[in-house]
Amino acid sequence: MTTPEVLKPACVVLTPGIKATKHVVFGSQKLGPVPTAVLDALTTTRAKLLCECKDFAKPAQYQWEKEKAQFQLDAYMENASQYLSLLQGFLNAARAPAATPSDDNDEAAASKPVVAEKPAPAVSFAFCEWLDVTAKSSVHSLNAYHEYAHTLYAVGTVLLQRASDLTTAMLASRDFEFDEPKLKEAYQILLRTSGLFDAALGFLGQSRQTTASTGADDAAMAAWRAEQAQADNAATYAPELSRIKDFEGGSGLSALRAIALAQAQELVVLRGVTRETVDWVLMGKLCVDIASRYKDTLASLPPSQVKLRGWCDFKTIYYTALGLYYQGVAEWNKKDAPGCVQAIAQFQQAKEQLARLSTFAAETQRTRDIIQRDLDIAAARNSSVYFETIPAPLPALPPTGLVQPQAFVNPPAHALWKEPLPPANATSAAAPTRGSPDMPHPDPGCACAIM
């Protein structure tokens, strides 16, 4: 059978929507004794999360839509990690500002830093307003713990949006022209997204699929301590965060973690079927694994997660059909009578499986056309050459998975937390005392001047 065009999977990427937020200037907020450098860095790094907008109801105003053309994955993730590390200072890091020498010149006392009172996670972050993507409503971060969780979720939505833009460009290109750089970037993004949502689940006190590095270097130890310190915070603040639909029960986060990983494997299939030599049996096994991932995710989602359930149902049906089709292609390539009729059975079952789809008709039309084309070719060959009876379809191939989440390590507190605190009396010292020559007086020529 001559196939002028192989069947490439319709690997469209789920986009839950950008978790938007309003702009914040931390220097104008009351956060207790915090180094000025930390406040400035919080404002700068938060503005680079690409989630800001003025009106949640107008997506065209979203920062992502304006700046996505300049997106750089590594730079974006580095900035996100910096913002999270700055928030860690409110969660579990003690600050050590510069010491003030004592009057008696005691060297030991002079060298010992004066540790300021550590701000608690309960410091209000209500000035940080976020979009609850699931409920399509506005919510506020009650504290630094909430702000941290919202940020993890928001970064994940930006990464999914970027992966979607890349795959859409690939699939919309003329004749499905293969674009290696876009595919590689989308693949890496999806692995990192899965790891990011996994870290968010761990932050909320739920089980993780990946673990942080356990190396002996200082950075690894600091990251490990930060992970351990989150346990108490999760027990205290996670229950109230679960009232927000995005975090309710962790089901949405768990689904997004699994979906991102399954979508990464979809790109593996896309790359596999575009090679000069294709292992069709392996492609079928990968598709069976993808369908199984989506099926398990669908079973774990509550009825309230309508969008995610619909997406998982679509992908389960689609990749079940694709696994049957690739299994049929492997049979056809045997170029004999048994292979021909077995291919017909597989193609027919794949066609019937796709007929169950009631959504995403446009995205799957090309798949339907190619399966029907190959079914017609195989049936014509059998009716004119082999005259064999069509057997029952083969048992499903065993699933094979080739992807793992790329672990995201919750960073330790930023080094800026060790900067000196602003003097407690800085504001009062700057204002001249009453009666001081520096105090402004009424104009002597004014009628209200004091005589």
Side-chain angles (χ1 to χ4, degrees):
M1 176 174 60
T2 302
T3 54
E5 180 184 346
V6 298
L7 175 51
K8 302 178 180 67
C11 48
V12 288
V13 173
L14 172 71
T15 52
I18 299 294
K19 187 175 178 66
T21 187
K22 303 292 180 66
H23 181 69
V24 172
V25 178
F26 284 87
S28 62
Q29 308 300 328
K30 297 180 179 180
L31 293 173
V34 178
T36 303
V38 170
L39 297 176
D40 294 340
L42 282 167
T43 301
T44 302
T45 54
R46 194 178 194 273
K48 294 180 181 179
L49 295 177
L50 304 183
C51 297
E52 291 186 354
C53 76
K54 295 180 180 179
D55 187 349
F56 292 159
K58 297 179 180 179
Q61 296 182 354
Y62 283 11
Q63 186 184 13
W64 168 254
E65 295 299 325
K66 299 177 181 179
E67 301 187 23
K68 62 182 180 181
Q70 290 79 35
F71 182 85
Q72 296 291 331
L73 177 60
D74 291 337
Y76 178 76
M77 293 304 296
E78 181 180 356
N79 176 80
S81 293
Q82 287 184 9
Y83 182 65
L84 293 173
S85 69
L86 291 164
L87 291 178
Q88 282 283 11
F90 293 95
L91 299 177
N92 58 11
R95 301 183 307 278
T100 302
S102 58
D103 294 336
D104 57 1
N105 294 323
D106 185 352
E107 294 183 0
S111 61
K112 185 177 181 180
V114 179
V115 180
E117 181 182 357
K118 181 174 66 175
V123 171
S124 177
F125 270 68
F127 51 85
C128 294
E129 184 179 1
W130 291 91
L131 174 68
D132 185 345
V133 177
T134 306
K136 303 300 180 186
S137 60
S138 173
V139 295
H140 294 265
S141 297
L142 299 184
N143 48 57
Y145 184 87
H146 285 213
E147 176 68 7
Y148 196 104
H150 281 298
T151 301
L152 287 173
Y153 197 111
V155 172
T157 63
V158 169
L159 294 181
L160 284 176
Q161 189 66 53
R162 173 62 176 176
S164 176
D165 291 346
L166 291 170
T167 55
T168 299
M170 285 190 294
L171 297 176
S173 61
R174 186 176 181 181
D175 296 328
F176 287 99
E177 182 180 352
F178 184 67
D179 193 321
E180 183 82 19
K182 287 187 177 67
L183 188 144
K184 286 183 176 180
E185 182 182 353
Y187 177 74
Q188 289 297 324
I189 286 175
L190 290 170
L191 294 183
R192 297 180 78 163
T193 304
S194 182
L196 185 75
F197 285 125
D198 186 62
L201 286 165
F203 184 76
L204 296 177
Q206 301 190 30
S207 60
R208 295 189 60 173
Q209 292 181 348
T210 61
T211 56
S213 173
T214 56
D217 60 292
D218 293 341
M221 290 301 297
W224 180 83
R225 292 190 186 97
E227 294 275 356
Q228 297 302 310
Q230 289 166 6
D232 293 338
N233 287 333
T236 303
Y237 298 104
E240 61 186 18
L241 192 61
S242 289
R243 300 172 186 172
I244 300 172
K245 291 296 183 181
D246 282 346
F247 304 101
E248 188 176 25
S251 60
L253 284 171
S254 297
L256 290 173
R257 175 180 63 185
I259 289 172
L261 198 59
Q263 289 175 156
Q265 182 141 313
E266 292 180 48
L267 296 181
V268 174
V269 176
L270 176 61
R271 183 65 185 97
V273 299
T274 54
R275 292 183 178 276
E276 292 185 6
T277 303
V278 182
D279 185 341
W280 294 108
V281 173
L282 176 59
M283 296 301 103
K285 291 179 178 180
L286 293 175
C287 289
V288 171
D289 180 74
I290 293 170
S292 177
R293 291 174 187 267
Y294 281 114
K295 184 178 180 180
D296 293 343
T297 304
L298 176 62
S300 67
L301 283 168
S304 59
Q305 294 283 358
V306 178
K307 181 175 182 178
L308 294 181
R309 287 183 62 85
W311 184 266
C312 291
D313 184 57
F314 154 58
K315 291 283 189 169
T316 300
I317 295 173
Y318 181 80
Y319 278 96
T320 299
L322 217 57
L324 292 166
Y325 170 78
Y326 290 147
Q327 191 176 13
V329 174
E331 291 297 320
W332 173 264
N333 286 339
K334 294 178 180 179
K335 301 184 184 302
D336 56 18
C340 175
V341 292
Q342 192 64 65
I344 294 174
Q346 301 306 118
F347 294 157
Q348 182 62 40
Q349 191 177 26
K351 177 183 175 180
E352 294 171 359
Q353 182 74 13
L354 279 180
R356 297 174 52 201
L357 283 178
S358 57
T359 56
F360 298 96
E363 291 83 355
T364 59
Q365 186 58 50
R366 193 62 180 167
T367 300
R368 299 171 193 267
D369 293 343
I370 293 178
I371 291 177
Q372 184 63 56
R373 178 201 67 189
D374 292 350
L375 176 59
D376 292 343
I377 292 173
R381 174 66 62 85
N382 184 54
S383 62
S384 62
V385 178
Y386 298 126
F387 306 103
E388 296 285 343
T389 302
I390 308 302
L394 293 171
L397 292 168
T400 298
L402 298 179
V403 291
Q404 291 291 334
Q406 184 173 336
F408 178 84
V409 179
N410 286 305
H414 200 284
L416 288 177
W417 279 100
K418 297 180 181 179
E419 293 289 320
L421 292 172
N425 59 347
T427 304
S428 59
T433 58
R434 185 175 181 83
S436 168
D438 296 329
M439 175 72 74
H441 294 282
D443 187 344
C446 178
C448 63
I450 299 176
M451 302 303 294

